[in-house]
Amino acid sequence: MLLAACLLLGSHTGAARADAPAPTEDPAVTLDHADRIKTSDHDLFLKLLGQLDERKGGLSSAEQWRLRYLDAWQVAFEGRYDQARTQLTEIVNLSGDPTLQTRATATLVNILGIGRHYEDAFTRLSMLIDQLPAVKDPEARYQALGEAAQFLAQAGQFELASGYAQQILDDAALAGHACQGQYFKVNALYRSGRIKGTDPELDRAIDACHDQHQELFANALRGERADYAIKQGHADDAVTLLLAHYDEVKSYRYPALLADFDTLLAQAYWEQGDVSQARKYANATLADAVPNTYAETLSKAYQVLYNVESRLGNLPAALEYHEKYMEADKGYLNDVSARAIAYQTVKQQLLANKMQVDALNKQNQILQLQRKLDRKDMETSRLYIALLLTIVASIAFWLWRTKRSQLRFKRLATRDSLTGVHSRQHFVDEADLALHVAAKSNRDACLVLLDLDRFKEVNDAHGHVIGDLVLTRAVAACQHHLRRHDLFGRLGGEEFAIYMPGCSASQACERAERVRQAISATPLWGETRHVIITASFGVASTDRSGHELRQLMIDAESALFEAKRSGRNRVVYGQLSDFAAAKQPADAADASTEAGDAAGRAYGGHRS
């Protein structure tokens, strides 16, 4: 869990709650006081903001710009990001105050990230980092470092994020921000898997925030502890921790943190089996969700509601929530991927710009030398012209190599573009590796091949758009019954494969039967309401076929052929020899050859 942290970056370590300064007090003092307590005493902050707005006409120009920054911060804190973005951009462009511009830029980076303008956000962040050595104001320096730490963590650059957080902790002038520095560092370490929710470093960070009266950050850290407890199967501990601080979090009126707590409570109650409470807190997450944004909390809330309605037997509602969960989860994952790609893109662009500037500087130097040498010796000038052409050619070669690297990066995609499951080659590679590991540890595994029945007839009768919809619905039905470590891939067309580690043949058959029933029961609305989709399944296990993927493919394909031959829409387990008694020897030999060829095609395009 990572808060929209730049909204919290401007808070100094506040003392305990204090009364609002009298309206007659120096406005600069009131502005300083309000700035210090933005998160440690948010109610008093709002009161001070109201007093300052009433006295706006008597403020100096610099004080008015600072008040406008605090107003923009509050707008962003409330989740009105588009309005905040406009206000912050105006401050950056027109205020003329370098310190205020740095702080507004840091907040603007966060707003751009929330609005999914990732390339713009990373470009501004890069400029902000470049300006860091010249930033002398401690508060502005802290905001720049804090924004770098939290935004790079969102892009998956946890090592860099942890480094910027450590700079906050190492800077003596920023001792008042030890809580936030530890929060950013712990968050990066937790998300990268380097510490657990029970690690003492988490306790130290919570204690530091408590000592500095930064309970909002302390509760954000408690949310990570609750998240870890749920993942470890300790839902009771998570509920106890979250409820102990829920009213306090609610009083902040900060949507991002409240949504995290609501979602965690919904998950914890679901794990406990308390359907009513799980539904209550999942709906609370949806009620406070920021419009037009995809957050992990939103997808998790829809998933809980889907599970609840499924358990209660409300299938139409369950399907509706499942579709919303798939949309939200896809949107969130796309955002995660977009942030990572945007970071790499901006990094490459900045590197390319630097090299281009260096190249232009070199070209200018060479041209100046050329003009001098032209007056002396024509042959010497030709030599420099050749040197210039060499540099230009080197730049062109570098640009070509960069473009080739970018194209290669795109080709490295491992997901099927339609269904989102593993592509054939990636599935084969991963399954082959998993089988080698299983063989060394002498563990069982199973391979299930499934093929949608009469899929060509669906395509011919309803068109490829409906065919694609059938494939995605069938995949969604399958994924609901997959375990975390199962591999699911599309081998081609309407044929899919599931690798089930640590699974016996009987267990694989039972799970394949549940998947079969789920596919046949998948409701298809609208134009596809008359389409009935079924699938045939072939199961092979390592206890009979060994740990070689090719043999598993052959035996599973044989079982699949038998399922098709026996009338479709069924699960068959066994090797080709299991069906030989039901056929003539010649037919069995032909079927074996056909199964081997099919498995060879699935495994690598040829038979070894």
Side-chain angles (χ1 to χ4, degrees):
M1 174 176 63
L2 185 65
L3 298 173
C6 192
L7 306 182
L8 312 178
L9 293 178
S11 58
H12 297 272
T13 300
R17 293 174 179 266
D19 293 331
T24 56
E25 190 175 64
D26 183 355
V29 175
T30 305
L31 284 165
D32 285 338
H33 190 72
D35 207 1
R36 283 197 302 272
I37 64 169
K38 286 199 298 295
T39 58
S40 61
D41 193 344
H42 191 252
D43 288 338
L44 181 56
F45 168 74
L46 292 175
K47 186 175 181 179
L48 294 176
L49 212 58
Q51 292 180 6
L52 289 165
D53 282 331
E54 292 175 359
R55 305 165 61 193
K56 186 183 300 183
L59 302 182
S60 67
S61 176
E63 291 168 343
Q64 288 185 12
W65 278 112
R66 189 172 181 190
L67 176 58
R68 292 176 72 173
Y69 169 71
L70 293 178
D71 283 331
W73 184 93
Q74 176 59 27
V75 169
F77 187 87
E78 294 171 355
R80 293 179 285 150
Y81 300 124
D82 289 339
Q83 182 181 344
R85 180 183 176 188
T86 300
Q87 293 176 255
L88 291 165
T89 301
E90 187 176 4
I91 293 169
V92 171
N93 294 336
L94 302 177
S95 69
D97 183 341
T99 298
L100 200 58
Q101 287 173 327
T102 298
R103 297 183 65 188
T105 299
T107 309
L108 183 59
V109 168
N110 187 266
I111 299 301
L112 289 169
I114 293 172
R116 300 195 293 277
H117 303 284
Y118 298 126
E119 289 195 18
D120 192 2
F122 278 116
T123 300
R124 288 181 180 270
L125 179 62
S126 178
M127 296 168 60
L128 196 63
I129 292 173
D130 289 340
Q131 295 169 0
L132 264 177
V135 177
K136 304 302 180 184
D137 181 80
E139 189 64 16
R141 181 172 176 79
Y142 156 67
Q143 280 194 252
L145 288 169
E147 182 54 45
Q150 70 97 21
F151 205 63
L152 287 169
Q154 289 182 347
Q157 302 298 316
F158 301 116
E159 193 70 27
L160 287 174
S162 178
Y164 284 115
Q166 190 62 47
Q167 286 189 46
I168 296 174
L169 297 173
D170 293 340
D171 193 334
L174 304 182
H177 295 294
C179 161
Q180 293 92 328
Q182 291 199 46
Y183 167 77
F184 294 134
K185 183 176 180 180
V186 166
N187 182 272
L189 294 174
Y190 177 75
R191 297 180 71 195
S192 63
R194 293 172 60 185
I195 65 171
K196 301 177 180 179
T198 54
D199 195 280
E201 191 163 351
L202 197 64
D203 290 325
R204 290 192 291 270
I206 293 174
D207 291 341
C209 291
H210 182 72
D211 292 342
Q212 295 184 337
H213 306 287
Q214 293 292 346
E215 291 301 325
L216 196 152
F217 281 96
N219 282 320
L221 292 164
R222 292 183 182 111
E224 291 180 347
R225 169 160 289 168
D227 176 68
Y228 183 79
I230 294 170
K231 291 176 179 176
Q232 297 302 309
H234 303 301
D236 292 343
D237 295 341
V239 168
T240 301
L241 176 62
L242 293 168
L243 290 181
H245 300 276
Y246 186 82
D247 289 339
E248 183 180 7
V249 169
K250 199 170 183 179
S251 70
Y252 302 149
R253 296 190 294 277
Y254 184 44
L257 182 57
L258 184 58
D260 283 325
F261 265 58
D262 284 334
T263 302
L264 289 168
L265 280 167
Q267 290 179 299
Y269 277 122
W270 171 253
E271 294 297 327
Q272 286 183 332
D274 192 335
V275 173
S276 176
Q277 291 294 92
R279 174 191 277 167
K280 170 187 171 182
Y281 285 102
N283 281 321
T285 300
L286 301 184
D288 293 330
V290 178
N292 302 319
T293 60
Y294 287 112
E296 189 176 16
T297 53
L298 190 63
S299 66
K300 288 180 177 178
Y302 279 128
Q303 186 179 31
V304 170
L305 289 171
Y306 163 71
N307 291 333
V308 167
E309 298 302 333
S310 294
R311 175 171 291 182
L312 295 176
N314 301 328
L315 296 184
L319 177 61
E320 181 180 355
Y321 281 127
H322 186 267
E323 290 176 348
K324 290 181 178 179
Y325 159 67
M326 294 293 290
E327 179 185 359
D329 191 57
K330 180 181 179 182
Y332 169 70
L333 293 177
N334 286 344
D335 270 4
V336 172
S337 177
R339 284 195 294 267
I341 292 174
Y343 172 79
Q344 295 297 336
T345 299
V346 171
K347 184 178 178 181
Q348 290 291 332
Q349 288 174 349
L350 293 175
L351 179 60
N353 290 339
K354 183 178 183 302
M355 294 189 68
Q356 288 175 355
V357 169
D358 291 342
L360 288 173
N361 289 335
K362 290 180 181 178
Q363 290 180 28
N364 289 333
Q365 293 174 7
I366 293 171
L367 287 173
Q368 291 173 5
L369 290 173
Q370 181 183 353
R371 293 190 186 98
K372 294 178 181 179
L373 295 174
D374 277 345
R375 292 190 291 266
K376 297 180 180 179
D377 193 327
M378 183 60 69
E379 290 185 0
T380 304
S381 67
R382 289 175 181 173
L383 176 63
Y384 280 100
I385 291 173
L387 180 59
L388 174 61
L389 293 175
T390 300
I391 293 175
V392 172
S394 298
I395 295 172
F397 177 72
W398 178 85
L399 292 174
W400 172 78
R401 289 192 61 183
T402 301
K403 184 64 177 178
R404 188 179 67 172
S405 297
Q406 292 173 345
L407 293 175
R408 180 175 176 272
F409 178 74
K410 292 180 180 179
R411 289 196 297 268
L412 291 178
T414 59
R415 293 281 175 177
D416 177 62
S417 59
L418 174 63
T419 62
V421 301
H422 290 315
S423 63
R424 184 189 72 178
Q425 189 57 52
H426 188 58
F427 174 83
V428 168
D429 293 341
E430 292 295 313
D432 203 23
L433 180 61
L435 280 167
H436 282 302
V437 173
K440 289 181 180 179
S441 59
N442 197 27
R443 297 185 63 188
D444 291 335
C446 291
L447 179 69
V448 178
L449 296 185
L450 65 105
D451 188 276
L452 298 184
D453 298 327
R454 297 187 174 90
F455 181 74
K456 184 177 183 303
E457 296 177 11
V458 173
N459 266 340
D460 293 343
H462 300 280
H464 289 288
V465 173
I466 301 304
D468 289 348
L469 178 61
V470 167
L471 287 173
T472 56
R473 291 288 179 87
V475 167
C478 292
Q479 289 174 323
H480 182 63
H481 295 279
L482 296 183
R483 299 177 305 176
R484 179 182 178 185
H485 299 295
D486 291 343
L487 295 175
F488 187 24
R490 184 183 181 187
L491 301 183
E494 67 276 19
E495 187 172 5
F496 298 86
I498 305 172
Y499 172 75
M500 300 179 178
C503 187
S504 67
S506 61
Q507 292 171 334
C509 289
E510 290 175 3
R511 293 181 60 203
E513 177 61 23
R514 289 198 295 269
V515 172
R516 182 194 68 78
Q517 293 175 2
I519 291 175
S520 62
T522 299
L524 300 173
W525 306 102
E527 296 180 3
T528 63
R529 61 184 179 274
H530 298 303
V531 178
I532 299 175
I533 298 303
T534 62
S536 299
F537 293 74
V539 182
S541 62
T542 55
D543 62 341
R544 300 182 67 178
S545 304
H547 286 80
E548 289 296 328
L549 179 59
R550 178 178 175 80
Q551 188 60 48
L552 279 168
M553 284 282 192
I554 291 173
D555 294 342
E557 190 77 19
S558 298
L560 177 60
F561 285 165
E562 176 62 17
K564 291 284 189 181
R565 190 192 67 79
S566 303
R568 300 183 175 87
N569 192 21
R570 64 194 59 213
V571 177
V572 172
Y573 165 66
Q575 297 169 298
L576 187 61
S577 58
D578 296 331
F579 317 118
K583 299 182 180 181
Q584 294 298 325
D587 294 339
D590 292 341
S592 177
T593 301
E594 184 178 357
D597 290 341
R601 290 192 300 272
Y603 185 59
H606 66 278
R607 298 184 65 188
S608 58

